[in-house]
Amino acid sequence: MPYHEIFVGLGVLVAAVVFVREARGRGALNEQSLVAVAGALVGGAIGMRLAGWMETLDVKDLWLYGSRSILGGLTGAYVGVLIAKRIIGYKERTGDLFAPAVALGMAVGRIGCHLTEAPGRPTDLPWGVHAPPTTPECPGCLTGEAMHPSFIYEIIFQLAAFVALRWARKRMTQPGELFTLYLAGYAAFRFLVEFTRANETVWLDLTRPQWFLLPGLVLLGVRLAYGWRRGYYDALFERKVMT
């Protein structure tokens, strides 16, 4: 069975349901916000395939391998939302509605990755997992080595992020900051978890996703510092502003 595609589809469905619930709860469920969702779906589909295709630059791989690039999908979805909102002239911020939806959708989608892809790098830790030798691009699978369950790590992170975002959404007053916090948290986590993934290193012992993430981590760090100085996150940390 195409487990990867099934769970990616389920993840998209779960994300859509959570988005609608979030939008309805905030009184923001309207035609414009649904157009933003459509932009995210189209942009995400294009981004996943373009990012995967760039690894081989082979036209025949555009459809086959592109659907496995989560970072490309997230980038494409973000751009898709911006374009859709620009087309219809919708100026309201929608990132805070997307953040919990993306987190839970990613948790579901990563189940498919765990079932079909190389789990991670070899490890001696007691929770190391084994995968069938037929798993693509997985030398550790062929030799029967125990490997990091890197996708399980991400599932746990995304579930924790979903809970944290649901907790924080009623405390955040600055529009867009909930989404900024999620992006920063996921970018940092993904950079670190790459050290346990089975992805090929290309330079300075870093993988392509890590090099892709580095500029974004710098920009997000600057953006978080900006928000921190202006007290955007005071309610989360109960930090009192000196007057």
Side-chain angles (χ1 to χ4, degrees), residues 136-148:
E137 301 179 7
C138 182
C141 300
L142 293 173
T143 57
E145 295 180 87
M147 293 165 287
H148 280 285

Side-chain angles (χ1 to χ4, degrees), residues 43-76 137 208-209 212:
I46 295 173
M48 282 193 293
R49 281 156 179 80
L50 284 178
W53 171 70
M54 288 177 66
E55 294 185 11
T56 63
L57 297 180
D58 191 332
V59 175
K60 71 176 186 297
D61 292 340
L62 181 58
W63 179 262
L64 181 60
Y65 297 110
S67 61
R68 295 181 181 272
S69 177
I70 294 296
L71 289 178
L74 287 176
T75 304
E137 301 179 7
R208 288 185 180 88
F212 177 84

